[in-house]
Amino acid sequence: MGYLSISSALSFYRKPAQLKGTLAELKPPLVSLQDETPLKPIVPKTTSKQRPFTVTYLINSCGLSLESAISVSDKVQFQSPERPDSVLTLLRNYGFSKTQISNLIRKRPMLLLSHPENTLLPKLEFFQSIGLSSNELARTLSSDPTLLTRSLENQIMPTYDFLKSVLLSDEKIVAALKRTTWVFLEDPSKNLMPNVTYLRESGVPQSCVSLLLTHFPEAVMQKHEPFVETVREVKEMGFDPKKSTFVLAVHALSGKGNKSIWERCYEVYKRWGWSNDDILSAFRKHPHSMMLSEKKIMKSMGYFVNEMGWASRAIAECPVVLFFSLEKRIIPRCSVFQVLLSKGLIKEGFSLTTVLLPVEKRFLERFVMRYQEEVPELLSVYQGKVKLEGL
C-alpha cells in the first residue's frame, strides 16, 4: 500500500585595486580551433572565421574548455582584451580562484564586458562590508553570479534594508544569503514581506521569525497563498506559534519537495509500527524528524530496536536521538551501556535518553570514569579500540 498524504495521515487534525594585465602580457600559447582535430564535430562552422579571439581568450585567460568556450562565445564576443582583463584582475584581487572564475564566466559570460570599477566593484565592496569574507564572497558569487547582474541601488540595497529590519544584524543577513542567494534576487515586496507580516499577525514572535528567515529563507520566500496555507496547517496540528518548533514545522512543510520528504518519512515510521499519534508527537517535539533520509531513519531505528532491544515507539518520545551520528555517538555510548549492563553494574531501567542525551563530558563522568576500576577497558570500548566480544 502506498504512503498517505499529510492530510490523510492526520485527517483528524485538518489537513579597490589597480586593474592591469593584458592578453599579450599573459603570453598564452595561441589555440587554433582548426588544429583541434578530435574536437572538430563540436566546432561550429563560424567559429574560426567570426570569433577566434573570443574563444581563444576564454580558453587561455578564463580557463574554459574548448567546448565551453565555443558555447560561451555564442553569448558574448569581443575583439580586445582590455575590458575582460580588467574584470578578471578585479576578481583575482577579491580572492576568486581560477576555478571560481571559470564557473562564474561560464554561467554569466556578459560579466566580462561589465565596467569593473563602476558596476562590479561597488557590489563586491558592499557584500564585504556586511560581513562576507573573501572566501565566502568568492564561493557565493561563483556559485550564483546572478547577484552581480542586479542593480545595487534598485535591488540589492532595498532588499538589504528590509532584511535588516527583520533580522536586525548583518551576521544573520549573511547567514541567510549563504543559504540562498535568492533572498537578494527576488523583489521582497512580492512574497517575503507579506509572509513575514503574516507570521507576525499569527502570533509568531520576532525571535522565531528571525530564526526561520536566517536559517531557512527559502521557506519564507514561498508564494504567499501556499505559505499562508502551510502556517494554518501547522497551527491546526497543535503547534504553539510562540515556540521555535512552530517555524521549524513551517519549514518542514514548505514547498512540494519538503512535503514529499514528510510523506516519505511518514511511510518509514509507519513501517516501524508508529501510529498517527506517534508520528505527530515526534513531529511536534522535533519537526525536522520528518526531514530525515530514509537511510538514516532505517539505520538508526534498526540499531535501537534490533541491537539494543528498545521499543520502536519509545523513539517517538525522544526523536532527537535519530539525529545523532550512529558511528560517533550512538554505537560508542550504547557499547559502554551494554558492557555495564552485562557486568551488573547498572540496571535495565536506564532509558536511551539517559545514555544518549548528556554532553560528552557528563556521559564520560557518569558511565566511563565512574567504573574504571571495575572495567579498565571501558574507555577503550567507548573509543572503539576494544570490541564487546573481547570482554
Side-chain angles (χ1 to χ4, degrees):
M1 180 177 66
Y3 56 75
L4 302 177
S5 66
I6 299 171
S7 55
S8 298
L10 304 171
S11 57
F12 47 90
Y13 285 96
R14 189 196 182 275
K15 305 182 145 226
Q18 181 179 1
L19 304 180
K20 61 181 180 179
T22 65
L23 184 60
E25 291 171 332
L26 295 174
K27 296 182 180 178
L30 291 178
V31 177
S32 171
L33 300 186
Q34 294 176 338
D35 293 337
E36 295 291 334
T37 304
L39 296 174
K40 276 185 177 179
I42 63 170
V43 180
K45 294 180 180 180
T46 59
T47 296
S48 61
K49 295 182 180 180
Q50 297 181 13
R51 46 184 175 170
F53 180 83
T54 300
V55 173
T56 301
Y57 185 91
L58 291 170
I59 294 170
N60 295 333
S61 298
C62 301
L64 271 61
S65 67
L66 176 59
E67 185 176 4
S68 294
I70 293 171
S71 176
V72 167
S73 69
D74 284 333
K75 303 169 186 176
V76 61
Q77 295 183 40
F78 43 87
Q79 298 301 321
S80 167
E82 183 178 357
R83 179 61 60 82
D85 276 352
S86 62
V87 169
L88 297 184
T89 299
L90 176 63
L91 294 175
R92 294 188 191 105
N93 288 340
Y94 268 80
F96 285 73
S97 68
K98 292 180 180 179
T99 299
Q100 290 169 334
I101 289 175
S102 296
N103 290 335
L104 185 148
I105 299 305
R106 188 168 55 249
K107 294 173 182 177
R108 288 292 182 271
M110 289 302 296
L111 288 173
L112 281 173
L113 300 183
S114 300
H115 195 294
E117 291 184 341
N118 296 343
T119 302
L120 300 181
L121 181 58
K123 297 169 190 176
L124 296 173
E125 290 178 332
F126 168 78
F127 285 115
Q128 277 202 337
S129 74
I130 66 173
L132 270 175
S133 69
S134 295
N135 288 338
E136 291 168 336
L137 182 62
R139 185 167 56 248
T140 300
L141 294 180
S142 63
S143 176
D144 186 4
T146 310
L147 268 178
L148 291 174
T149 69
R150 293 293 195 264
S151 168
L152 182 62
E153 294 76 16
N154 299 326
Q155 174 67 36
I156 297 175
M157 288 299 298
T159 301
Y160 167 80
D161 291 338
F162 172 72
L163 292 173
K164 190 65 174 284
S165 72
V166 179
L167 300 179
L168 307 180
S169 76
D170 287 347
E171 182 180 2
K172 292 181 179 179
I173 294 174
V174 167
L177 172 61
K178 289 194 290 186
R179 287 283 302 189
T180 174
T181 56
W182 281 99
V183 74
F184 268 94
L185 294 176
E186 287 193 351
D187 180 357
S189 66
K190 186 177 181 181
N191 294 307
L192 196 53
M193 290 180 180
N195 291 345
V196 167
T197 298
Y198 186 74
L199 285 173
R200 288 168 169 166
E201 291 173 347
S202 300
V204 179
Q206 163 64 27
S207 60
C208 293
V209 174
S210 178
L211 171 66
L212 184 62
L213 183 53
T214 300
H215 297 287
F216 311 105
E218 64 278 8
V220 202
M221 295 174 67
Q222 292 184 89
K223 291 183 179 179
H224 186 58
E225 290 184 6
F227 182 80
V228 169
E229 183 59 33
T230 298
V231 172
R232 288 173 178 169
E233 187 173 5
V234 169
K235 274 188 174 181
E236 290 163 5
M237 286 180 172
F239 284 87
D240 184 350
K242 291 181 172 56
K243 295 183 177 180
S244 61
T245 50
F246 185 91
V247 292
L248 295 180
V250 169
H251 171 237
L253 292 172
S254 293
K256 294 180 180 180
N258 284 357
K259 288 184 179 179
S260 176
I261 295 172
W262 199 103
E263 292 170 352
R264 193 157 59 243
C265 288
Y266 172 85
E267 178 189 2
V268 176
Y269 290 133
K270 290 292 282 187
R271 295 208 302 264
W272 283 99
W274 289 18
S275 66
N276 285 346
D277 283 339
D278 292 328
I279 295 172
L280 183 61
S281 173
F283 186 45
R284 282 175 174 164
K285 291 176 179 178
H286 206 308
H288 284 178
S289 62
M290 300 302 287
M291 298 190 75
L292 292 169
S293 69
E294 180 176 352
K295 180 180 179 181
K296 173 61 175 169
I297 296 173
M298 293 299 293
K299 287 181 67 176
S300 296
M301 290 293 291
Y303 184 83
F304 290 139
V305 176
N306 301 327
E307 298 294 327
M308 295 303 297
W310 283 320
S312 171
R313 296 179 66 181
I315 313 303
E317 295 299 312
C318 189
V320 68
V321 299
L322 292 169
F323 291 83
F324 296 151
S325 168
L326 197 62
E327 294 76 19
K328 296 179 180 180
R329 186 166 186 147
I330 295 173
I331 292 177
R333 293 194 180 195
C334 287
S335 296
V336 168
F337 176 78
Q338 287 176 309
V339 170
L340 296 177
L341 194 62
S342 67
K343 294 184 178 295
L345 295 173
I346 59 174
K347 297 180 180 179
E348 288 273 3
F350 280 95
S351 67
L352 78 164
T353 57
T354 305
V355 176
L356 295 176
L357 291 190
V359 297
E360 184 176 34
K361 181 181 178 180
R362 176 60 178 153
F363 174 82
L364 290 172
E365 289 173 349
R366 185 172 184 182
F367 291 102
V368 179
M369 304 308 178
R370 183 176 178 179
Y371 299 102
Q372 279 288 80
E373 290 188 10
E374 294 91 336
V375 191
E377 306 92 341
L378 207 51
L379 182 59
S380 295
V381 171
Y382 178 71
Q383 295 171 339
K385 298 177 180 178
V386 174
K387 302 297 182 182
L388 294 179
E389 297 79 9
L391 295 178

